[in-house]
Amino acid sequence: MSRISDLRNQILKAKHAYYYSGEPIMSDAEYDALEDELRKLAPDDPVLAIVGAQVPADSMLTKARHSIPMGSQSKVNSEAEFRAWYVKSEIAVLHASLKGDGASAAAYYSNGRLVQAISRGDGTVGEDITANALRFKGLPAWVGDDSGGFTGAVRFEVILTVDDWTRIDPSRSKNPRNAGAGIMGRKNGHQSDFLTIFAFDLDETREGRSVAFRTEIEKATRLAELGFSVIPHQACANADEAVAYFQNIARTRDSLPFWIDGVVMKIDDIASQTALGVTGGRPKGQMAWKFDSVGVETMLEGVVVSGGHTGGLYPTAQLHPVEIGGTTVSNASLANYDEIARLDVAIGDSVWVVKANDIIPKIIRVTHRPKTRTPIPVPTQCPFCGGDVGRRQTSGGGEGVIIECRNSECSIKSSGKIRRWIASLDILGIGDAVREAMIERFGLEDAADLYVLRNRADELAELVINAEKELTLGEKRATAILEAIDATRTLTLSRFLGSLGIDHLGKRRVELMMTAADGALDTLDAWRSGQLREPALAEKAGVPNVSGQIQDAIDAMSQVIDKLLANGVIVLPPVRDIPDSSTVALKTVCISGKLPSGKKKSDYAEPLKAVGYQLVDEVSKGLDYLVLADPGSASSKADKARRLGIEVISEERLEEIVSGADRGQALSSLPARAPQPRPENKREEPEMKSAKPAAATEGEVQRYEYVDDKSSKFWEVGIDGTSVNVRYGKIGTAGQTNTKDLGDASAASRHAEKLVAEKLKGGYQRVGGIDSTPKGAAKDKSASPPPKAAKAATPVRVPEPAKAAASSVQKAVCISGKLPSGKKKADYSKSLAAAGYQLLDDVKPGLAYLVLADPDAAGAKADKAKKLGIPIISEEELIGLCSGS
């Protein structure tokens, strides 16, 4: 790695650590020295222009979609299985690598800079962990050489090594996999710097094309060249070498620096891998040879029964606590009562317990049956309601292995269906403890009761979720839960029906049935009409054996469905019910960043689909709309969209689209959301006297600014005849220009008014106008038109020292570094307070002054002050400020 690359990495990680967590990883002097060195080596390096953290703090753990495959491999557990796979696949050379026992994730880079890191999740959608990933060992924040930066994706395993595990957990009370996964998912980033990544796959892009690597060995070599920690690996010429490698690793794995749970075998030739294809999301040219599951003998002390949302009764073994693979196991799966009979297991038996796939504890055999053993009874009544039980029917009409409660009013079914609704719609913040507390406190009978909780927001905030520790939910979490519930008030028919907890009827099954029925099941009324009992329709919909059960279940849920609709849940019709849908079937929308409503982009996927739009993840040619919280943003995606002529819109405009308002549709719009707080802005807000803010008039450019802890941006708008000119960027820079010709002067004026309204709604504040008409020229149509980009206005600054005490909004001063007089900043505290000023320790938006020994000196605080438009004064001026002179 070149010195420039090394400097970029250190600077980016230091910026992130300080701005995200407030915990600097180096002193100001050390940081300034790094920037100074980079400035000398590469004066125009883009890293020097970055202000604040490159990752928004509120992005942590939000849902994010992968752009590379994140599937898993098929597994084998014996040499015979491995050799069978080898022969069937007609393999020559193998690439064998350690299978790290950690958490899989992927990092995405653009022009050298780490843009996003996402946990594996379900292989398609994971959680954004960028803020923490920037601290991981072995994962550079900038990748490339002096000729250019790396663009592409890297897949890796996040591992807590044995040494680091011992360092942070001397008692080693848990295994490193669980400990590492917990650290990776912490919102505050605590201990993330103890995690190490080991890369094992990449997708590199050069000049817009994906690089075609010939072998897995080439990929691993390239990963090492780029500066990543690569998972240990070896090429094996044949099956015998691969078996020997596996056996050697199995013998010596306890001496490795990190835990592993097997060896990954891949066909080294990538073309051969690809030719074999994929089955069930698993590539046929790869497999994971797992070590034997760790097992131990213990005693079965009892069996408890749990209930599912469809009434199924499931036995779980209670064991004498025992250690398996670094975790204490006291419960194990017994699957069902037929499995209990097959094992011939009873209470009091000694049993052999393994962790299936090193995760789920499972009883696999009985090792000793004492005379005092007690048989495990099969339920003859529901243990939760006392109702009748029976065996669940299979799709063929026979009896299945699951025993279920037949009482439709069973309490465990109701709470289970609430749990099913929450999980299916991904309503965040309602875990098991919170849900059970809500059911008990508010008497929730079904999912419909969730949608009236906003009327009891104060009670929700006071909800006790842990009586022993006297923990309450709190206002912040309560608000987040209510917003998450509100985000599910508009649902497609498949999400609505598929989330009710009806047996045989998930979301995917609803979609398949609707498609097969060719319009006969396109409305909620059609599903409730009873027609699923008609053999012809049942056959056509693809459910001839279970259609009656589905219809009976829908009928049984009739009261809950009516209640959901009455409480404000809206069910959208499918796309084909919308007139002229063909004209918009190929339209696409990209949503980027956090939205003002707090909704996630996934919340809009189904509503957009219902009105003929597809939600995509990238800005590319042909995209119809890019949605941003701030349509005037200067982000990379916004810049790219404008270059491609793509319209950048607000969330308000997005809601018009999903409601059909932009196409004259009669669909119901999304429900009104609760008012959201504006981003903190220390400027005085102008009084809004009309619904339509005045836009710039001919020859005038209006300027708006937005300043908070993370950014300082300006936005300017002016009208040039029939065109609207917009300039935007960071305060203190020239910014960028965008011009739109509306073809009509009045249309241009209306468009400018709309843009201004969106800015004010997003927290921008008007700071003045710039008359772009040349001096002496009349402001009329005959005058020379203003330039496309007006000259930037001077950023608003606080008054000079003599007037500051009377007019400064914040009346706050920050003193940094050693002063010429030798005084400490604490020595000025009383005199500043007497003059009406507060002494702060950091540079923040709204600060009146930053005091330095040399106001012209460069440094992190000075740079931040300049970006925020904060005056920098000397100690002499500070003395004048204190005296009021």
Side-chain angles (χ1 to χ4, degrees), residues 636-827:
S636 59
K637 280 192 175 180
D639 289 345
K640 184 177 180 180
R642 294 184 182 101
R643 287 197 302 272
L644 295 173
I646 298 165
E647 186 174 355
V648 184
I649 64 174
S650 64
E651 186 180 17
E652 184 178 13
R653 175 81 169 92
L654 174 65
E655 290 186 348
E656 292 176 3
I657 291 173
V658 298
S659 70
D662 65 317
R663 299 188 302 150
Q665 299 302 321
L667 291 176
S668 300
S669 62
L670 285 174
R673 60 178 185 267
Q676 302 297 315
R678 281 188 177 181
E680 184 179 355
N681 195 318
K682 301 302 183 183
R683 301 177 187 275
E684 292 183 339
E685 296 188 4
E687 183 180 356
M688 296 296 295
K689 294 185 179 181
S690 64
K692 285 189 175 182
T697 57
E698 185 78 19
E700 179 196 19
V701 174
Q702 288 187 4
R703 184 179 175 96
Y704 298 81
E705 293 184 359
Y706 180 91
V707 179
D708 65 7
D709 287 333
K710 299 184 183 120
S711 59
S712 55
K713 302 176 288 187
F714 77 87
W715 183 82
E716 295 173 357
V717 61
I719 299 174
D720 174 16
T722 63
S723 298
V724 176
N725 304 322
V726 172
R727 192 153 65 92
Y728 55 90
K730 296 175 182 177
I731 293 175
T733 67
Q736 301 183 49
T737 303
N738 186 34
T739 299
K740 185 171 184 178
D741 189 357
L742 279 299
D744 178 78
S746 60
S749 178
R750 290 195 300 272
H751 183 68
E753 286 179 358
K754 182 178 178 181
L755 293 177
V756 170
E758 289 180 344
K759 285 296 158 195
L760 292 173
K761 184 177 180 181
Y764 276 77
Q765 304 301 325
R766 172 97 180 260
V767 297
I770 308 165
D771 186 355
S772 62
T773 306
K775 286 187 177 181
K779 294 184 180 180
D780 58 23
K781 299 287 182 180
S782 62
S784 299
K788 294 296 181 183
K791 182 180 178 183
T794 303
V796 174
R797 298 167 69 91
V798 294
E800 292 299 318
K803 301 176 183 179
S807 59
S808 173
V809 175
Q810 290 299 304
K811 292 188 176 182
V813 174
C814 174
I815 302 173
S816 181
K818 190 174 181 180
L819 297 175
S821 67
K823 288 185 179 180
K824 299 176 182 177
K825 60 183 179 181
D827 296 331

Side-chain angles (χ1 to χ4, degrees), residues 172-372:
R172 294 171 65 162
S173 57
K174 49 189 177 292
N175 65 48
R177 179 187 61 244
N178 292 351
I183 293 171
M184 185 179 81
R186 285 176 180 165
K187 271 224 164 190
N188 61 6
H190 181 55
Q191 296 181 328
S192 290
D193 49 341
F194 283 96
L195 298 178
T196 302
I197 73 101
F198 290 93
F200 58 84
D201 198 7
L202 88 158
D203 178 16
E204 183 172 4
T205 301
R206 295 178 196 162
E207 298 180 353
R209 294 184 178 181
S210 183
V211 176
F213 291 97
R214 190 176 61 85
T215 66
E216 293 289 344
I217 293 294
E218 281 186 10
K219 275 189 183 181
T221 302
R222 178 59 176 158
L223 283 167
E225 288 175 353
L226 291 170
F228 293 96
S229 299
V230 184
I231 199 79
H233 57 278
Q234 177 179 306
C236 301
N238 50 50
D240 291 339
E241 281 192 19
V243 170
Y245 178 77
F246 175 86
Q247 292 173 343
N248 179 57
I249 293 297
R251 284 193 304 270
T252 61
R253 63 169 165 153
D254 288 343
S255 64
L256 292 172
F258 55 88
W259 280 24
I260 63 173
D261 57 0
V263 173
V264 175
M265 301 288 187
K266 299 179 183 179
I267 299 176
D268 190 44
D269 184 75
I270 293 174
S272 299
Q273 263 196 55
T274 305
L276 285 175
V278 177
T279 300
R282 291 176 165 82
K284 293 181 180 179
Q286 303 178 14
M287 49 77 62
W289 188 349
K290 302 272 287 187
F291 299 130
D292 290 337
S293 295
V294 178
V296 71
E297 186 180 49
T298 187
M299 180 183 291
L300 175 61
E301 296 182 335
V303 172
V304 295
V305 180
S306 59
H309 69 274
T310 59
L313 302 176
Y314 305 98
T316 299
Q318 292 183 308
L319 307 171
H320 181 74
V322 64
E323 289 288 321
I324 305 179
T327 57
T328 301
V329 173
S330 56
N331 297 292
S333 171
L334 281 170
N336 53 65
Y337 288 92
D338 282 18
E339 177 69 2
I340 291 174
R342 187 190 70 79
L343 290 170
D344 185 20
V345 63
I347 297 170
D349 286 354
S350 294
V351 294
W352 190 260
V353 182
V354 301
K355 293 182 73 175
N357 294 322
D358 288 336
I359 298 173
I360 305 168
K362 180 181 180 181
I363 295 174
I364 61 170
R365 66 176 183 272
V366 177
T367 57
H368 177 63
R369 296 181 176 88
K371 294 181 179 180
T372 55

Side-chain angles (χ1 to χ4, degrees), residues 3 6-15 26 34:
R3 180 57 181 164
D6 183 48
L7 290 169
R8 287 168 172 164
N9 265 303
Q10 292 186 62
I11 289 171
L12 286 172
K13 292 206 173 192
K15 279 180 178 289
M26 63 181 68
L34 292 174

